[in-house]
Amino acid sequence: MPNTFKRTLVTTALPYANGPVHLGHLAGVYLPADIYVRFKRLCGHEVIHIGGSDEHGVPITITADREGITPQDVVDRYHAMNADAFSRCGISFDYYGRTSSVRHHETAREFFLDIERKGIFVRKTEKLFFDAKAGRFLSDRYVTGTCPVCGSPDANGDQCEQCGTHLSPLELIEPKSKLSDAKPELRDTLHWYFPLGRFQKQLESYVESHRETWRQNVVNYSRTWLNQGLADRAITRDLSWGIPLPLDEAEARGKVLYVWFDAVLGYISFTKEWAELQGDPERWKRYWQDPDTRIVNFIGKDNVVFHTLMFPAILMAWNEGRSEGRYELADNVPASEFMNFEGRKFSKSRNYAIYLGEFLDRFPADTLRYSIAMNYPENKDTDFSWTDFQNRTNGELADTLGNFIKRSVDFTNSRFDGEVPSDISAEEWNLLGIDWQESLGRLAEAYDGFHFREAATQTMEIARFANRFLTEAEPWKVIKVDREAAARTMAISLNLCHALSLLFYPVIPETCDRIRAMLGFDDAIGSLSSPGVPVWEAAALPGLSKGHRLKGSSEILFSKIEQADLEPELEKIARLLAEAEKREAGAQQQKMTFRPEITFDDFQKVDLRVARVLECEPVKKASKLLKMKLQVGSEERQVLSGIAQYYKPDEMVGKHVLLVANLAERTIRGELSQGMILAVEGKDGRLFVVEPQGTEIIGNSVQ
Ligand SMILES: [Zn+2]
């Protein structure tokens, strides 16, 4: 992909400082970004990689409340833990910041005030639950109650875990505050909204102008949102943890910036902090405010619209009316699909994960980097399994790459005094059977197009070629009859070691530095290149000349992973899977703790009727809900039900169902629901609508 940019700014989604990063995060965002950045650096391109922790938001205060510590304690713990794990994994950030920093708060305030001054924000008064005992407004996660859709007694204010329906706290039956168990009261509260719709046209042309170069999933997610029409989105919250609204008015008190508005600005504030450390505080501008810079945001697919619509809209609002100091928008947003773990989704909340730090306590970083690069979820979800990890480490890294390097170095040491025994001409090099120019070109194309799996695969192909070359040339036999031929074989092999140390560097940097050291160099590969000084192309030519001294000893680059090494991991998987199954079964078992007894008279209060579904359609922006028109006797009712995942609207039409006919009317997602239809839960949580048999008489009561 030819481009004319002079430099590149790479950002990676900010991991939330409320837990350790796991391999799914690494595979989707940080490793691909690091591979890309290392490749660009090798090419002599000017590039910086900016990341950091997202340290605001409600889940952090929930953790702090649960553990009886402060939110600052929580973010200090996970920021340090994640920064350390990334560093041990070789993720080469130029800067890794924190959104709790002074500079970040200042940057976020500056954006807020600029947009506020321009009168772009919309203020809206809304009703929000307030816990009078605790003296605090309650964000969605702090309210619990009975789910209006499935009747589960402990639904959260944002979502019912039981049936998956997205809710607002106002929809809960018998809401309770999680802070004090008190019944919350509704109070008026003023909030600032960002009118995304104001930028609809600009955002449409932004997305469409990149439709050829962005991944299909990124274009599709963005278009889906644009097609629905962009709504106002709140950017403030009634919370104490976060960036306080920088306004003096009484109504701004007790409010902070909502984390979606604040976190993406971290990319900018961290670049400023990086520039300060370079002793050139204005240097950040050349990355954010210069059209010659290519901005690339590496993210997971769950973050697409924040980066293709919301963040750009904030920058567009800033740019409005400005001719100087305008921000550039991202040129690409490579969003990954998910990498699963032994066939299931990684889940932090369910503790179904391998955490990066734990993994690195047991296995070397490069075995993980290689294995994940080979499973990079570029266009579809992929899977990390221990067996695949073992096979790749043993068969590819140890038996192919490691074995080739060690044999080359050892034989040179033992038979040629540890010196490169011959010069290799460029012609000889090119006649080996590899078209170097073409191979390097294809590799560069793979890296530039974010096809990291392909890049790792192609590089391993070159290692296979090298290993085969040495095996077939049999210098240990040839040397007995033709020392000169054996010398040429070894010179070629050592030059292949040298080329591989450069070519594999983006994927397995630590190993490549070890290869380089074995070849007798004191410097690290990362120190060879700098902006304007490429070393990547050096792999296309023999890099070692006759007489060059090796270090003198070889080392084993990769230890094989024995079955015994994996036993604890496989046992852990078995345990986690068993726990997951138990939890799923437990969800049913919990139902067996019955609700408090009711009298027959109580039951008689429930008016159950047979009803027929006349019409059925999906509900906008509520993917779990179906809206039905029911016939009950001579009456028609409208009822919402959280069964959209399990039934198509067409399937429902004509069905007979059981209706709780005297349930108080409720409004869900702005739609009236006059009753509830009965459904039973199946094994994996799917719902089956109860269909009464043997009756055609609509409106009959149920005994
Ligand atoms: Zn529910």
Side-chain angles (χ1 to χ4, degrees):
M1 192 197 333
N3 65 52
T4 53
F5 294 106
K6 288 186 179 148
R7 67 191 78 83
T8 302
L9 166 64
V10 167
T11 70
T12 34
L14 308 188
Y16 202 42
N18 191 39
V21 288
H22 58 58
L23 299 197
H25 300 131
L26 181 74
V29 178
Y30 308 100
L31 181 65
D34 188 64
I35 290 175
Y36 180 72
V37 165
R38 285 179 185 271
F39 168 72
K40 296 307 272 184
R41 288 191 195 122
L42 269 192
C43 292
H45 194 79
E46 183 186 339
V47 55
I48 57 170
H49 180 186
I50 299 291
S53 299
D54 175 1
E55 305 199 324
H56 297 134
V58 175
I60 285 168
T61 62
I62 290 181
T63 302
D65 291 346
R66 194 179 57 229
E67 297 189 21
I69 55 179
T70 66
Q72 189 65 48
D73 293 334
V74 175
V75 301
D76 285 350
R77 179 203 299 165
Y78 290 113
H79 172 77
M81 188 185 285
N82 290 336
D84 175 63
F86 283 138
S87 141
R88 288 163 65 205
C89 194
I91 306 299
S92 55
F93 291 108
D94 286 275
Y95 188 75
Y96 193 73
R98 320 176 58 168
T99 59
S100 61
S101 77
V102 173
R103 179 69 71 234
H104 176 67
H105 278 231
E106 183 189 284
T107 302
R109 277 200 302 269
E110 199 187 353
F111 269 89
F112 175 87
L113 285 173
D114 181 77
I115 301 171
E116 168 79 2
R117 253 183 244 121
K118 288 174 179 161
I120 292 177
F121 291 129
V122 181
R123 297 183 184 199
K124 295 184 190 180
T125 300
E126 58 195 71
K127 294 214 182 289
L128 190 66
F129 278 129
F130 185 81
D131 182 334
K133 243 195 222 168
R136 262 166 68 176
F137 275 103
L138 300 170
S139 62
D140 300 357
R141 296 270 192 107
Y142 275 99
V143 185
T144 171
T146 302
C147 173
V149 177
C150 76
S152 157
D154 48 8
N156 283 321
D158 56 348
Q159 188 175 22
C160 170
E161 293 264 302
Q162 196 65 39
C163 68
T165 306
H166 288 277
L167 299 167
S168 97
L170 299 184
E171 291 167 357
L172 292 174
I173 303 166
E174 289 176 29
K176 264 193 325 198
S177 162
K178 280 190 191 170
L179 289 175
S180 67
D181 272 351
K183 183 175 185 291
E185 52 194 71
L186 279 177
R187 286 200 186 171
D188 280 348
T189 175
L190 182 75
H191 278 290
W192 280 249
Y193 279 72
F194 189 97
L196 281 173
R198 177 187 176 119
F199 301 94
Q200 171 97 23
K201 280 270 161 314
Q202 280 186 70
L203 290 166
E204 277 170 7
S205 62
Y206 172 55
V207 170
E208 289 311 314
S209 69
H210 290 87
R211 67 175 182 276
E212 302 289 334
T213 48
W214 287 1
R215 283 186 188 155
Q216 204 52 50
N217 64 347
V218 176
V219 174
N220 290 348
Y221 281 124
S222 310
R223 278 181 181 163
T224 303
W225 272 62
L226 287 165
N227 291 344
Q228 283 173 359
L230 299 173
D232 299 347
R233 270 183 90 92
I235 60 136
T236 53
R237 301 289 259 170
D238 290 292
L239 266 184
S240 55
W241 181 246
I243 300 174
L245 274 209
L247 296 174
D248 278 337
E249 25 193 309
E251 282 160 317
R253 223 167 286 148
K255 293 182 202 301
V256 298
L257 292 177
Y258 200 172
V259 72
W260 79 257
F261 183 84
D262 126 40
V264 283
L265 295 172
Y267 300 143
I268 296 169
S269 21
F270 301 161
T271 312
K272 291 180 180 173
E273 290 173 359
W274 167 83
E276 283 160 27
L277 285 179
Q278 307 303 304
D280 185 1
E282 295 298 299
R283 196 174 172 81
W284 66 273
K285 289 184 182 162
R286 108 198 219 108
Y287 289 95
W288 282 103
Q289 301 186 341
D290 182 342
D292 283 338
T293 296
R294 181 184 196 210
I295 300 174
V296 181
N297 304 142
F298 281 87
I299 57 167
K301 66 176 162 186
D302 46 347
N303 258 325
V304 168
V305 293
F306 287 100
H307 289 80
T308 60
L309 303 178
M310 296 182 194
F311 185 34
I314 295 173
L315 299 179
M316 287 168 182
W318 172 276
N319 289 347
E320 206 170 282
R322 263 199 173 78
S323 54
E324 303 264 302
R326 293 168 64 86
Y327 282 83
E328 295 300 318
L329 307 182
D331 179 63
N332 211 323
V333 183
S336 66
E337 300 293 313
F338 291 141
M339 189 183 75
N340 295 322
F341 171 36
E342 299 277 359
R344 273 174 175 257
K345 241 187 185 142
F346 277 94
S347 163
K348 202 183 73 176
S349 59
R350 309 209 144 185
N351 199 32
Y352 185 77
I354 319 175
Y355 297 107
L356 180 55
E358 285 174 11
F359 187 100
L360 297 173
D361 289 342
R362 302 227 37 223
F363 302 101
D366 279 354
T367 58
L368 178 65
R369 290 176 65 109
Y370 177 72
S371 199
I372 286 190
M374 296 298 277
N375 282 304
Y376 174 53
E378 181 179 332
N379 298 315
K380 59 179 189 347
D381 289 357
T382 60
D383 194 54
F384 179 90
S385 80
W386 285 111
T387 314
D388 178 72
F389 170 67
Q390 182 185 30
N391 290 342
R392 292 203 184 278
T393 301
N394 294 357
E396 295 168 18
L397 291 177
D399 283 346
T400 304
L401 179 65
N403 182 40
F404 167 67
I405 306 280
K406 189 162 179 356
R407 285 195 300 163
S408 304
V409 171
D410 284 348
F411 194 72
T412 307
N413 281 336
S414 67
R415 305 308 297 270
F416 293 102
D417 284 336
E419 280 184 9
V420 178
S422 174
D423 274 320
I424 299 301
S425 70
E427 271 172 323
E428 210 170 343
W429 185 244
N430 281 325
L431 289 173
L432 273 180
I434 293 186
D435 183 333
W436 291 97
Q437 291 304 338
E438 202 237 20
S439 290
L440 261 64
R442 269 194 305 147
L443 269 173
E445 218 169 90
Y447 281 117
D448 271 325
F450 314 116
H451 311 307
F452 303 115
R453 181 184 192 141
E454 195 186 318
T457 306
Q458 283 180 27
T459 314
M460 186 48 85
E461 273 310 311
I462 297 176
R464 278 202 189 92
F465 167 87
N467 200 32
R468 211 165 45 231
F469 166 80
L470 181 59
T471 303
E472 286 168 6
E474 297 183 312
W476 41 89
K477 281 188 189 162
V478 171
I479 196 167
K480 292 171 193 159
V481 291
D482 185 348
R483 187 173 168 85
E484 191 45 39
R488 264 202 321 282
T489 296
M490 292 325 294
I492 289 172
S493 295
L494 293 167
N495 274 296
L496 284 168
C497 294
H498 177 258
L500 280 166
S501 75
L502 296 176
L503 296 180
F504 246 136
Y505 178 76
V507 182
I508 46 173
E510 194 203 337
T511 302
C512 290
D513 274 336
R514 288 165 69 199
I515 297 173
R516 185 166 176 83
M518 276 192 263
L519 292 177
F521 294 96
D522 298 328
D523 46 4
I525 292 168
S527 71
L528 301 177
S529 57
S530 54
V533 182
V535 298
W536 171 256
E537 286 83 0
L541 290 167
L544 306 174
S545 31
K546 185 175 178 183
H548 174 91
R549 284 209 67 80
L550 309 190
K551 187 183 156 208
S553 59
S554 71
E555 54 176 309
I556 291 172
L557 287 173
F558 298 97
S559 310
K560 288 207 182 179
I561 296 173
E562 304 299 335
Q563 203 53 31
D565 299 325
L566 284 188
E567 279 317 320
E569 310 303 338
L570 297 172
E571 274 165 31
K572 189 174 164 200
I573 284 286
R575 199 181 70 235
L576 289 174
L577 286 174
E579 275 169 18
E581 262 166 42
K582 220 166 94 189
R583 213 167 19 237
E584 276 153 23
Q588 290 171 327
Q589 240 159 40
Q590 267 168 16
K591 295 273 154 55
M592 302 308 286
T593 44
F594 297 105
R595 294 177 194 169
E597 185 179 281
I598 56 167
T599 64
F600 183 70
D601 284 349
D602 286 338
F603 176 69
Q604 283 292 85
K605 288 181 191 162
V606 181
D607 195 344
L608 288 175
R609 298 289 173 137
V610 177
R612 192 215 313 262
V613 182
L614 298 175
E615 292 167 17
C616 181
E617 58 181 83
V619 180
K620 255 191 201 154
K621 293 187 184 173
S623 57
K624 305 275 162 69
L625 291 180
L626 289 182
K627 179 169 86 177
M628 283 169 271
K629 192 194 275 181
L630 302 181
Q631 188 184 356
V632 198
S634 58
E635 244 188 73
E636 283 183 8
R637 293 279 187 93
Q638 173 169 303
V639 169
L640 299 188
S641 180
I643 53 171
Q645 282 170 286
Y646 316 113
Y647 292 94
K648 293 202 176 73
D650 288 354
E651 282 178 75
M652 289 304 297
V653 175
K655 268 195 201 309
H656 290 163
V657 295
L658 288 182
L659 172 74
V660 181
N662 61 337
L663 191 68
E665 287 184 0
R666 304 182 56 76
T667 302
I668 305 171
R669 297 280 117 146
E671 296 279 1
L672 186 65
S673 187
Q674 308 163 295
M676 181 166 125
I677 68 166
L678 298 190
V680 294
E681 196 185 326
K683 186 165 168 253
D684 47 4
R686 78 151 285 167
L687 295 174
F688 295 89
V689 167
V690 177
E691 296 182 64
Q693 303 290 316
T695 175
E696 288 294 316
I697 306 170
I698 307 309
N700 266 13
S701 71
V702 177
Q703 311 290 322

